[in-house]
Amino acid sequence: MTRASSASPADDARGGAVAASLRGLLDDPSIPADVRAAMAEDFRRVEHMLDRLENEELHVAVFGRVSAGKSALGNALLGHDAFEVGVLHGTTTRADVARLDEAAHAGLVLIDTPGINELGGEDRERLAFEVAEVSDLIVFVADGDLTREERDALRTLSATRRPLLLVLNKADRYADDERDGLLDRLRDHAEGLVRREDVIAVAARPAGREVIEVDAHGNERRHRELPAADVAALKTRLVAIAEREGKTLSAINAGLFAGRLTDQLSARIAATRRDVASRTIRQYCVAKAVAVALNPVPVADLLLAGGLDAAMVVQLSRVYGLPLTRSESGRLVAVISTQLAALMGAVWGMQLVSSALKGLSGGLSVVVTAAAQGALGWYATVLIGRAAEHYLVAGKSWGEQGAKRAVADIVASLDRDSILREAREEILKRLKT
């Protein structure tokens, strides 16, 4: 049954915009297959959130310390045993979900989470926080004054920007004045995190009491009586929040998750592209270094190097989804080379000397100059590749400070000696084979 919502047209519009954003994430063809596979669980969450928005559901995470009575509270709200209840620590080892049957008109769905403080239960605690993060509302269950661990958890959950209700369970264990004093302490602990009216006392599973019945003949019969659960105040509060704010909360929280996922996707895609770009640059480093080192024709080695640089930039532009034509790539290489020549004239002078040396010696000096010239060609390729990568990452732009500053920063950021050493080792190894 769908929720009878008092949502405004603005809420409907917000929900529609968030749903469209979620569908866009699911259907985005630009997300690489390996990134999508690595983040499969996140995409499943997106699918679940989309279902929640379309079905107008409000997901409520029941959260708290081990044995505080989270599962019992969920069962009391539902009116039947949907969640496993036990006396041993760690009864709940995964997140269980059940619709709040008696409030189905409000689209409430309960999520029972593992306890936060079980010894050796780090994975369960992490799961609990993950569930809370993708829920719309959190019910934090305590059975007494808050421990330091519970106060820390409450602050952490508050940082997820989800509305919080703080519930004092097992309230039947206290006399009226004790219970009222304890509620006041809980409100003080939760100041600024939970509204005072959202600190509520319940008895999800009241303790049994011994009852003595006397029949007409004066015979006594003793038996234990289990009082009914007292969760009406909490249930009323949940339904009221769902009816008044449910659609808005669902849309806002789904939007927050979609925003975080988009940031994570962008970071993962950027990292993947950097890895592919690094492999591409290295491949061209090897090709250029060997070609330059072994080409016996004067100046032709430099012309060949320029062609390889242009081809590399074309490949990098495809990696970053901003394809360049061969002529565009050549112009970009020319811009970068001009800036490098201004910064490092001595390096390019050595290249020219080595190239000319080949002509004067008829190619006999190749063995002598191969490693040195090849290493310089390798280094130049790294510089051109990184500069082109900077240009592409910025959306085909050098930024406000222009190409000169961008190229200078790249030169300064690279360890020339280690690059040249690696290049010489690789070239010598390949010459031997």
Side-chain angles (χ1 to χ4, degrees):
M1 183 182 299
T2 58
R3 175 170 53 221
S5 176
S6 57
S8 67
D11 293 331
D12 291 334
R14 182 186 293 112
V18 171
S21 176
L22 293 177
R23 291 192 193 93
L25 274 177
L26 291 175
D27 301 333
D28 189 348
S30 69
I31 298 174
D34 56 343
V35 173
R36 189 177 289 275
M39 303 182 71
E41 181 59 33
D42 294 300
F43 280 99
R44 280 193 289 273
R45 286 183 177 178
V46 171
E47 292 173 349
H48 293 157
M49 284 187 165
L50 191 55
D51 290 340
R52 286 159 53 180
L53 286 173
E54 293 174 343
N55 296 328
E56 297 189 13
E57 293 178 349
L58 183 72
H59 284 226
V60 180
V62 184
F63 204 91
R65 184 173 47 78
V66 165
S67 300
K70 302 180 309 298
S71 300
L73 178 60
N75 290 339
L77 288 168
L78 292 165
H80 63 87
D81 292 338
F83 303 120
E84 184 179 358
V85 178
V87 296
L88 297 178
H89 284 187
T91 296
T92 303
T93 58
R94 59 188 177 85
D96 294 321
V97 181
R99 181 175 291 277
L100 182 51
D101 295 343
E102 293 184 32
H105 68 283
L108 284 167
V109 175
L110 292 182
I111 304 172
D112 183 31
T113 67
I116 63 172
N117 65 324
E118 184 181 4
L119 182 64
E122 292 84 0
D123 290 340
R124 300 175 190 179
E125 182 172 342
R126 183 169 59 253
L127 174 62
F129 277 92
E130 289 174 355
V131 171
E133 187 179 24
V134 296
S135 298
D136 303 310
L137 178 69
I138 297 170
V139 173
F140 193 98
V141 184
D143 61 358
D145 200 3
L146 295 182
T147 65
R148 182 168 60 183
E149 185 176 40
E150 287 174 309
R151 294 196 296 271
D152 290 343
L154 199 63
R155 283 190 290 269
T156 299
L157 291 169
S158 176
T160 68
R161 300 165 66 183
R162 268 63 179 166
L164 274 165
L165 277 70
L166 177 55
V167 173
L168 172 61
N169 192 22
K170 306 177 184 178
D172 57 301
R173 299 187 304 183
Y174 304 99
D176 290 349
D177 57 340
E178 292 177 323
R179 182 193 62 227
D180 293 342
L182 185 51
L183 286 172
D184 286 339
R185 287 200 297 276
L186 292 177
R187 292 185 177 107
D188 290 341
H189 286 315
E191 186 71 32
L193 305 176
V194 181
R195 291 176 294 193
R196 296 187 72 83
E197 62 270 25
D198 287 337
V199 180
I200 301 169
V202 301
R205 201 180 187 191
R209 58 189 178 187
E210 190 173 79
V211 177
I212 301 175
E213 294 181 349
V214 181
D215 62 21
H217 302 289
N219 299 318
E220 294 184 355
R221 186 170 66 88
R222 299 172 180 266
H223 67 276
R224 291 192 64 79
E225 185 179 86
L226 294 178
D230 180 10
V231 295
L234 175 60
K235 183 181 294 188
T236 299
R237 186 74 180 127
L238 287 173
V239 172
I241 292 174
E243 291 180 337
R244 187 181 66 249
E245 308 173 43
K247 198 165 189 176
T248 302
L249 288 174
S250 295
I252 290 174
N253 293 333
L256 289 172
F257 181 80
R260 284 194 301 276
L261 181 58
T262 299
D263 291 342
Q264 292 170 9
L265 281 169
S266 298
R268 189 72 69 93
I269 291 171
T272 299
R273 284 174 169 168
R274 285 195 300 270
D275 289 343
V276 174
S278 293
R279 291 196 297 270
T280 299
I281 291 172
R282 181 177 175 80
Q283 289 169 358
Y284 277 91
C285 283
V286 173
K288 180 177 175 180
V290 173
V292 169
L294 298 183
N295 194 323
V297 181
V299 185
D301 54 354
L302 300 181
L303 295 176
L304 174 62
L308 287 172
D309 289 335
M312 174 184 66
V313 171
V314 169
Q315 291 296 321
L316 290 175
S317 71
R318 292 172 181 167
V319 170
Y320 284 98
L322 297 169
L324 296 173
T325 64
R326 190 60 179 260
S327 60
E328 289 174 325
S329 173
R331 288 195 293 272
L332 180 58
V333 169
V335 169
I336 298 171
S337 298
T338 299
Q339 299 303 324
L340 287 173
L343 287 166
M344 306 171 64
V347 172
W348 310 130
M350 288 179 64
Q351 283 275 43
L352 289 169
V353 169
S354 296
S355 180
L357 209 115
K358 288 182 181 178
L360 293 172
S361 62
L364 295 179
S365 65
V366 170
V367 175
V368 177
T369 63
Q373 190 179 6
L376 288 169
W378 181 303
Y379 179 52
T381 301
V382 172
L383 292 174
I384 291 172
R386 292 305 178 195
E389 190 178 15
H390 172 92
Y391 176 80
L392 294 166
V393 168
K396 294 184 179 180
S397 169
W398 290 114
E400 295 181 358
Q401 296 180 320
K404 181 177 180 179
R405 178 58 182 272
V407 172
D409 288 345
I410 290 167
V411 171
S413 69
L414 295 174
D415 185 345
R416 182 186 63 186
D417 291 340
S418 65
I419 293 173
L420 291 173
R421 183 166 53 251
E422 178 192 4
R424 284 193 296 269
E425 292 172 356
E426 184 68 25
I427 292 167
L428 290 173
K429 182 174 68 176
R430 289 177 180 271
L431 289 177
K432 290 177 181 178
T433 58

